[in-house]
CSV table of all heavy atoms in Angstrom, one decimal:
chain,number,residue,atom,x,y,z
A,6,THR,N,-1.3,7.0,-5.8
A,6,THR,CA,-2.6,7.6,-5.4
A,6,THR,C,-3.3,6.5,-4.6
A,6,THR,O,-3.3,5.3,-4.9
A,6,THR,CB,-3.4,8.0,-6.6
A,6,THR,OG1,-3.7,6.9,-7.4
A,6,THR,CG2,-2.7,9.0,-7.4
A,7,THR,N,-4.0,7.0,-3.6
A,7,THR,CA,-4.8,6.1,-2.8
A,7,THR,C,-6.3,6.3,-3.1
A,7,THR,O,-6.9,7.3,-2.6
A,7,THR,CB,-4.6,6.3,-1.3
A,7,THR,OG1,-4.7,7.7,-1.0
A,7,THR,CG2,-3.2,5.8,-0.9
A,8,SER,N,-6.8,5.5,-3.9
A,8,SER,CA,-8.2,5.5,-4.2
A,8,SER,C,-8.7,4.1,-4.1
A,8,SER,O,-8.0,3.1,-3.9
A,8,SER,CB,-8.5,6.0,-5.7
A,8,SER,OG,-8.0,5.0,-6.6
A,9,TYR,N,-10.0,3.9,-4.1
A,9,TYR,CA,-10.6,2.6,-3.9
A,9,TYR,C,-10.1,1.7,-5.1
A,9,TYR,O,-9.7,0.5,-4.8
A,9,TYR,CB,-12.1,2.6,-3.9
A,9,TYR,CG,-12.8,1.3,-3.9
A,9,TYR,CD1,-12.8,0.6,-2.7
A,9,TYR,CD2,-13.4,0.7,-5.0
A,9,TYR,CE1,-13.4,-0.7,-2.6
A,9,TYR,CE2,-14.0,-0.5,-4.9
A,9,TYR,CZ,-14.0,-1.2,-3.7
A,9,TYR,OH,-14.6,-2.4,-3.6
A,10,ALA,N,-10.0,2.2,-6.3
A,10,ALA,CA,-9.5,1.4,-7.4
A,10,ALA,C,-8.1,1.0,-7.2
A,10,ALA,O,-7.8,-0.2,-7.5
A,10,ALA,CB,-9.7,2.2,-8.7
A,11,THR,N,-7.2,1.9,-6.8
A,11,THR,CA,-5.8,1.5,-6.7
A,11,THR,C,-5.6,0.5,-5.5
A,11,THR,O,-4.8,-0.4,-5.6
A,11,THR,CB,-4.9,2.7,-6.5
A,11,THR,OG1,-5.3,3.4,-5.3
A,11,THR,CG2,-4.9,3.6,-7.7
A,12,ILE,N,-6.3,0.7,-4.4
A,12,ILE,CA,-6.2,-0.2,-3.3
A,12,ILE,C,-6.8,-1.6,-3.7
A,12,ILE,O,-6.1,-2.6,-3.4
A,12,ILE,CB,-7.0,0.4,-2.1
A,12,ILE,CG1,-6.2,1.6,-1.6
A,12,ILE,CG2,-7.1,-0.6,-1.0
A,12,ILE,CD1,-7.1,2.5,-0.6
A,13,ALA,N,-7.9,-1.6,-4.3
A,13,ALA,CA,-8.5,-2.9,-4.8
A,13,ALA,C,-7.5,-3.6,-5.7
A,13,ALA,O,-7.3,-4.8,-5.6
A,13,ALA,CB,-9.8,-2.6,-5.4
A,14,GLY,N,-6.9,-2.8,-6.6
A,14,GLY,CA,-6.0,-3.4,-7.5
A,14,GLY,C,-4.8,-4.0,-6.8
A,14,GLY,O,-4.3,-5.1,-7.2
A,15,ALA,N,-4.2,-3.3,-5.9
A,15,ALA,CA,-3.1,-3.8,-5.1
A,15,ALA,C,-3.4,-5.1,-4.3
A,15,ALA,O,-2.7,-6.0,-4.2
A,15,ALA,CB,-2.5,-2.7,-4.2
A,16,ILE,N,-4.6,-5.1,-3.7
A,16,ILE,CA,-5.0,-6.2,-2.9
A,16,ILE,C,-5.3,-7.4,-3.8
A,16,ILE,O,-4.8,-8.5,-3.5
A,16,ILE,CB,-6.3,-5.9,-2.0
A,16,ILE,CG1,-5.9,-4.9,-1.0
A,16,ILE,CG2,-6.9,-7.1,-1.4
A,16,ILE,CD1,-7.1,-4.3,-0.2
A,17,VAL,N,-5.9,-7.2,-4.9
A,17,VAL,CA,-6.2,-8.3,-5.9
A,17,VAL,C,-4.9,-8.9,-6.4
A,17,VAL,O,-4.7,-10.1,-6.4
A,17,VAL,CB,-7.1,-7.8,-7.0
A,17,VAL,CG1,-7.1,-8.8,-8.2
A,17,VAL,CG2,-8.5,-7.6,-6.5
A,18,THR,N,-4.0,-8.0,-6.7
A,18,THR,CA,-2.7,-8.5,-7.2
A,18,THR,C,-1.9,-9.3,-6.1
A,18,THR,O,-1.4,-10.4,-6.4
A,18,THR,CB,-1.8,-7.3,-7.6
A,18,THR,OG1,-2.4,-6.6,-8.7
A,18,THR,CG2,-0.4,-7.7,-8.1
A,19,THR,N,-2.0,-8.9,-4.9
A,19,THR,CA,-1.3,-9.6,-3.8
A,19,THR,C,-2.0,-10.9,-3.5
A,19,THR,O,-1.3,-11.9,-3.4
A,19,THR,CB,-1.3,-8.7,-2.5
A,19,THR,OG1,-0.6,-7.5,-2.8
A,19,THR,CG2,-0.6,-9.4,-1.4
A,20,ILE,N,-3.3,-10.9,-3.5
A,20,ILE,CA,-4.0,-12.2,-3.2
A,20,ILE,C,-3.7,-13.2,-4.3
A,20,ILE,O,-3.4,-14.3,-4.1
A,20,ILE,CB,-5.5,-11.9,-3.1
A,20,ILE,CG1,-5.9,-11.2,-1.8
A,20,ILE,CG2,-6.3,-13.3,-3.2
A,20,ILE,CD1,-7.3,-10.8,-1.7
A,21,ARG,N,-3.8,-12.7,-5.6
A,21,ARG,CA,-3.5,-13.6,-6.7
A,21,ARG,C,-2.1,-14.2,-6.7
A,21,ARG,O,-1.8,-15.3,-7.1
A,21,ARG,CB,-3.8,-13.0,-8.0
A,21,ARG,CG,-5.3,-12.8,-8.3
A,21,ARG,CD,-5.6,-12.0,-9.5
A,21,ARG,NE,-4.9,-12.4,-10.7
A,21,ARG,CZ,-5.2,-13.4,-11.5
A,21,ARG,NH1,-6.2,-14.1,-11.3
A,21,ARG,NH2,-4.4,-13.7,-12.5
A,22,ALA,N,-1.1,-13.4,-6.2
A,22,ALA,CA,0.3,-13.8,-6.2
A,22,ALA,C,0.5,-14.8,-5.1
A,22,ALA,O,1.6,-15.5,-5.1
A,22,ALA,CB,1.2,-12.6,-6.0
A,23,HIS,N,-0.4,-14.9,-4.1
A,23,HIS,CA,-0.1,-15.7,-3.0
A,23,HIS,C,-1.3,-16.6,-2.7
A,23,HIS,O,-1.7,-16.8,-1.5
A,23,HIS,CB,0.2,-14.9,-1.7
A,23,HIS,CG,1.4,-14.0,-2.0
A,23,HIS,ND1,2.7,-14.4,-2.0
A,23,HIS,CD2,1.4,-12.6,-2.2
A,23,HIS,CE1,3.5,-13.4,-2.2
A,23,HIS,NE2,2.8,-12.3,-2.4
A,24,LEU,N,-1.9,-17.3,-3.7
A,24,LEU,CA,-3.1,-18.1,-3.5
A,24,LEU,C,-2.8,-19.3,-2.6
A,24,LEU,O,-3.8,-19.9,-2.1
A,24,LEU,CB,-3.6,-18.5,-4.8
A,24,LEU,CG,-4.4,-17.5,-5.6
A,24,LEU,CD1,-4.8,-18.0,-7.0
A,24,LEU,CD2,-5.6,-17.0,-4.8
A,25,GLY,N,-1.6,-19.7,-2.4
A,25,GLY,CA,-1.3,-20.8,-1.6
A,25,GLY,C,-1.4,-20.5,-0.1
A,25,GLY,O,-1.6,-21.5,0.7
A,26,LEU,N,-1.3,-19.3,0.3
A,26,LEU,CA,-1.4,-18.9,1.7
A,26,LEU,C,-2.7,-19.3,2.4
A,26,LEU,O,-2.7,-19.9,3.5
A,26,LEU,CB,-1.1,-17.4,1.9
A,26,LEU,CG,0.4,-17.1,1.7
A,26,LEU,CD1,0.6,-15.6,1.8
A,26,LEU,CD2,1.3,-17.8,2.6
Side-chain angles (χ1 to χ4, degrees):
T6 60
T7 50
S8 67
Y9 179 72
T11 60
I12 292 167
I16 291 172
V17 164
T18 298
T19 302
I20 288 174
R21 287 175 45 83
H23 304 286
L24 285 176
L26 289 178

